[in-house]
Amino acid sequence: GFLSQSDWPKLTNAAGKLSEAPIFIDDTAGLSVLELRAKARRLKSQHDIRLIIVDYLQLMSPNQKSDNETVRMKNLSRELKLMAISEEVPIMAISSATPDDVTKLDTVPTLGQTAWSRQIAYDADWVMALGRAVNSDVIECVFRKNRNGFMGDFMIQVDFDKGYYRYKDFEDKNA
């Protein structure tokens, strides 16, 4: 997309704030939990990190190898859970979902649809699922699990702006 003249100062200001933020990105391919733990310990002692985000869990390598993908994901899930407990840093792991019925791709995934292993959903303290209807720009965000809080579904609706590839406040076009 294109930025208007009034958007440039906002972008510059946001970029300045972001460059000063204590955010550390590691894009090591096939990172193992053992390697992540070592990096997390170092960053925690030097910068007191308070959150670890794993973008696309299925690309990580567990310490215990397996040719079976379900067992591999089960091992990975357990290792991340134990790491979060021992390092006292919450870990947000982003995972894909697999539909139970491939003809129903227009629904928010259920708790049991975590790709490759339901163990991920079991180990997690909370699970949030995103989904959208076919030909819709409305993203539904549903909390499927909250181990230490209120049980039930919360739905947050946001619009997806394809032109700028961003989420924005939901506008009910029927109201």
Side-chain angles (χ1 to χ4, degrees):
F2 295 98
L3 293 176
S4 69
Q5 200 64 26
S6 64
D7 286 336
W8 282 105
K10 294 176 193 173
L11 177 65
T12 305
N13 185 31
K17 287 180 182 178
L18 189 58
S19 71
E20 300 297 320
I23 298 173
F24 305 93
I25 298 172
D26 184 334
D27 61 354
T28 304
L31 188 69
S32 73
V33 177
L34 196 59
E35 293 167 319
L36 178 62
R37 182 186 299 255
K39 292 176 182 195
R41 280 186 178 155
R42 182 179 49 81
L43 288 170
K44 184 161 173 126
S45 70
Q46 294 174 354
H47 302 283
D48 192 30
I49 60 169
R50 297 186 186 154
L51 175 67
I52 296 170
I53 300 174
V54 175
D55 186 5
Y56 202 48
L57 180 63
Q58 283 78 2
L59 295 180
M60 282 194 74
S61 299
N63 297 329
Q64 295 179 356
K65 306 295 183 199
S66 174
D67 291 333
N68 182 306
E69 192 65 18
T70 301
V71 172
R72 189 178 84 81
M73 292 311 301
K74 184 177 179 178
N75 292 340
L76 184 55
S77 175
R78 178 168 172 70
E79 290 168 13
L80 284 175
K81 178 72 174 188
L82 293 173
M83 179 185 145
I85 293 167
S86 68
E87 301 305 320
E88 298 179 340
V89 176
I91 298 174
M92 178 189 300
I94 301 169
S95 173
S96 59
T98 54
D100 290 330
D101 180 354
V102 293
T103 63
K104 295 182 179 179
L105 297 175
D106 61 343
T107 59
V108 178
T110 64
L111 192 57
Q113 290 175 318
T114 309
W116 299 111
S117 175
R118 287 183 169 87
Q119 185 72 31
I120 297 167
Y122 177 78
D123 288 337
D125 287 332
W126 59 269
V127 176
M128 182 173 61
L130 299 174
R132 77 182 165 117
V134 176
N135 297 324
S136 172
D137 292 337
V138 177
I139 305 292
E140 294 182 30
C141 171
V142 180
F143 286 91
R144 294 292 189 201
K145 179 180 178 182
N146 187 357
R147 188 181 305 253
N148 298 316
F150 175 77
M151 284 302 297
D153 289 351
F154 299 89
M155 184 162 26
I156 303 164
Q157 290 185 320
V158 295
D159 283 324
F160 183 66
D161 184 346
K162 291 178 188 171
Y164 291 98
Y165 210 76
R166 67 176 178 190
Y167 296 99
K168 61 183 182 178
D169 290 339
F170 175 71
E171 294 176 21
D172 189 353
K173 293 160 181 82
N174 297 323

